[in-house]
Amino acid sequence: MTRYLHILSLALVLTLLCTGTTFAQTEQPVYCQDVSAADCTLLMESQDAMSTVASGTSQMDLSILLRDIPEAPFKEISLDYSQGTLFNADTSVFEAIDELKAMPPRQIQQLVSNPQSLFGLIGTLIAGISTDVDMTLDLSSELAMMLSQESGMPLPENMAFHFVLADGAIYADLDSLAAFAPDASTLQGWMGVELQPLLDEAAKGANTQLSSQDAAELSMALGYVNTGASGPFLVTLGAADPTGQYLQFVNTERLANETVDGVEMAVFSSTFDYQTFFQSEVFRQLLKQIMEQQGAEVSDAELAQIGGMAQMFGPVLMTTLNLEVREWIGVKDHYLYDTSAVFNWDLSSIAALAAFGGDAMPIPQLPPGAKPYIGFEMTTHSSDLNGEVAVEVPESAVLIPTEVILQSAGQ
């Protein structure tokens, strides 16, 4: 039971750090190679503004479509995910995260490897955060069948989950779970449990240390809190790529201002220069690293040959690829209100390359009429930033005594 609570706590802290979109962030340098000094200043001011947001609402929508992918075990699969979030955080949360920001990665790992310290951190976050998260997931029939076979349990094509964290307790809408958890169908309505007593119980296993892998993964997750992940794209990428190794291939431009919901917005668009990337030493080293990770030994001559083929055929394939990140930032308040990330790739030209390249291009033949395609689109919209956002527990919710939970778990 102690180990179970320990693992549950790890999942919980990750959830807490991901539900709100704008917890405090460390200021990071922005690589403004393609924008004016004024626009660079605006991006950094947006990062600062977002680091002060303690409340708001957000809506995230994600769509993925894969079709006729060579050698893939499916014809066409798709996924649509939607998440609406309300959140509030008080000063205790910011203080706790500020402490994390000041810690080097090794110290963070030591913190989360100590159960009592970990549970103390989680308790602080729980006490200081209120959030309402409503999620829906729609799978295509083929994808639902594939996942069912992989997991060994039947999964429906449509799923939903709604939970509320407030006043130190977490509540779940059990009706939304019934579709993919038939065993829980006897439980209905909103039910909740106080989390601090569970954390106290888990902390009793103080000699139970995290594995090095678990600690490293959680340390990495906590690190994202420090890197401006909710700020503008260039800030986020700059934090992940501090040397600018890959950022040098990103082209960012300021588009014409737009007015959205009465707010004047500065609009930025970022794209990736594939042609220059394929001709760079960065690409050669990345290619070598990938091949070595797959256990393949490659000589410099072979690497040069493969790189040359990529330079020759890559631009042809890239002509049908569209990758763009577009952002809308308030001109006056500098909040990042909207983000759109689009990736779509029509791979129909792969058949022509396979025929042209022969054995030198070992690309699987496509069946007649196949139209290979990869599509990904994600949009986020934030509102009521630093406004009055009420997170309310449903009136019908029932709070289950902690003793009942522990007894049912065999404590």
Side-chain angles (χ1 to χ4, degrees), residues 375-393:
F376 170 97
E377 181 172 354
M378 183 175 69
T379 61
T380 60
H381 171 70
S382 299
S383 59
D384 301 320
L385 299 179
N386 272 340
E388 296 293 332
V389 177
V391 175
E392 299 179 350
V393 177

Side-chain angles (χ1 to χ4, degrees), residues 13 17 23-24 90-103 108 111 117 120-126 128-129 222 225-226:
V13 73
L17 294 174
F23 292 144
D90 63 26
T91 56
S92 64
V93 174
F94 288 98
E95 291 171 356
I97 295 179
D98 283 342
E99 291 182 9
L100 287 173
K101 290 193 300 182
M103 293 182 185
I108 293 178
L111 181 149
S117 298
L121 170 63
I122 296 173
T124 298
L125 294 175
I126 288 173
I129 294 177
L222 291 173
V225 179
N226 299 346

Side-chain angles (χ1 to χ4, degrees), residues 23-30 40-41 43-51 98 101 224-229 231-232 235-236 238-239:
F23 292 144
Q25 311 287 338
T26 294
E27 182 178 350
Q28 295 287 344
V30 178
C40 183
T41 298
L43 291 172
M44 289 189 289
E45 289 173 339
S46 177
Q47 171 67 11
D48 291 339
M50 296 304 288
S51 72
D98 283 342
K101 290 193 300 182
Y224 280 112
V225 179
N226 299 346
T227 58
V235 180
T236 303

Side-chain angles (χ1 to χ4, degrees), residues 172-349:
D173 179 8
L174 299 184
D175 291 337
S176 66
L177 298 176
F180 60 95
D183 293 340
S185 60
T186 56
L187 301 176
Q188 299 178 342
W190 283 86
M191 291 191 178
V193 60
E194 290 183 329
L195 293 171
Q196 189 59 54
L198 294 181
L199 294 177
D200 293 340
E201 188 66 31
K204 293 179 181 179
N207 294 325
T208 304
Q209 299 292 316
L210 291 179
S211 70
S212 58
Q213 180 178 353
D214 287 341
E217 291 177 354
L218 184 55
S219 176
M220 182 179 299
L222 291 173
Y224 280 112
V225 179
N226 299 346
T227 58
S230 63
F233 174 70
L234 282 180
V235 180
T236 303
L237 188 56
D241 182 24
T243 64
Q245 184 178 24
Y246 296 100
L247 194 60
Q248 62 181 306
F249 305 108
V250 176
N251 298 323
T252 299
E253 62 177 324
R254 170 82 177 267
L255 306 180
N257 286 10
E258 298 180 9
T259 300
V260 181
D261 297 331
V263 178
E264 184 180 8
M265 303 281 191
V267 185
F268 290 87
S269 172
S270 297
T271 55
F272 195 81
D273 186 351
Y274 294 100
Q275 187 168 359
T276 303
F277 175 65
F278 282 132
Q279 297 172 355
S280 70
E281 180 63 22
V282 175
F283 171 73
R284 285 169 49 86
Q285 294 302 318
L286 178 63
L287 185 64
K288 181 178 181 180
Q289 180 181 353
I290 293 174
M291 297 185 69
E292 289 177 347
Q293 288 176 346
Q294 294 178 344
E297 295 184 3
V298 54
S299 65
D300 291 340
E302 291 173 326
L303 187 62
Q305 181 181 6
I306 297 172
M309 292 176 58
Q311 293 176 21
M312 180 182 302
F313 296 109
V316 177
L317 288 173
M318 297 303 119
T319 57
T320 58
L321 186 151
N322 175 39
L323 173 60
E324 180 185 21
V325 176
R326 189 168 292 197
E327 298 172 298
W328 287 258
I329 298 173
V331 172
K332 293 183 178 180
D333 58 23
H334 306 149
Y335 289 144
L336 174 59
Y337 285 97
D338 291 274
T339 300
S340 171
V342 177
F343 175 91
N344 50 62
W345 195 2
D346 183 349
L347 290 167
S348 298
S349 57

